Amino acid sequence: MARKKDTDSEDALLGIGLLALLGLAINAAVKAQKKAKENDVPYVIEEDGILYEISPNGNRKKIGTVKNPRYPITESEFKF
């Protein structure tokens, strides 16, 4: 049984590490998007497998598609 307990704690640590990395990646994406808006630089978002370039004035232009998006994140999920 001691071996099972070690494996469980290792799995928990791995899960915590993965969540921390995911949090850092999302935070970096949000900061980059905010900086792009502040500096009048267009940025790219993905919605329902379609890539859009968002210009500083808010205009949206389709620039491509993504096959099988795994983690769709939309602009409406971020509030500045």
Side-chain angles (χ1 to χ4, degrees):
M1 285 286 175
R3 185 70 175 160
K4 176 71 173 156
K5 186 175 182 180
D6 290 341
T7 303
D8 289 344
S9 63
E10 289 173 4
D11 289 346
L13 287 174
L14 179 61
I16 290 169
L18 290 174
L19 285 175
L21 286 174
L22 179 61
L24 288 171
I26 290 172
N27 187 36
V30 169
K31 284 184 177 181
Q33 188 177 29
K34 186 175 180 181
K35 285 289 186 186
K37 282 184 178 181
E38 289 173 359
N39 295 320
D40 291 334
V41 176
Y43 58 96
V44 175
I45 64 167
E46 178 271 332
E47 287 183 352
D48 300 323
I50 301 171
L51 292 174
Y52 295 99
E53 179 181 86
I54 309 297
S55 65
N57 65 7
N59 289 338
R60 173 185 294 229
K61 180 173 105 177
K62 180 181 173 183
I63 59 172
T65 59
V66 177
K67 288 186 177 183
N68 301 324
R70 294 183 183 164
Y71 307 103
I73 299 174
T74 61
E75 181 180 21
S76 62
E77 294 179 53
F78 300 106
K79 295 182 180 167
F80 297 104

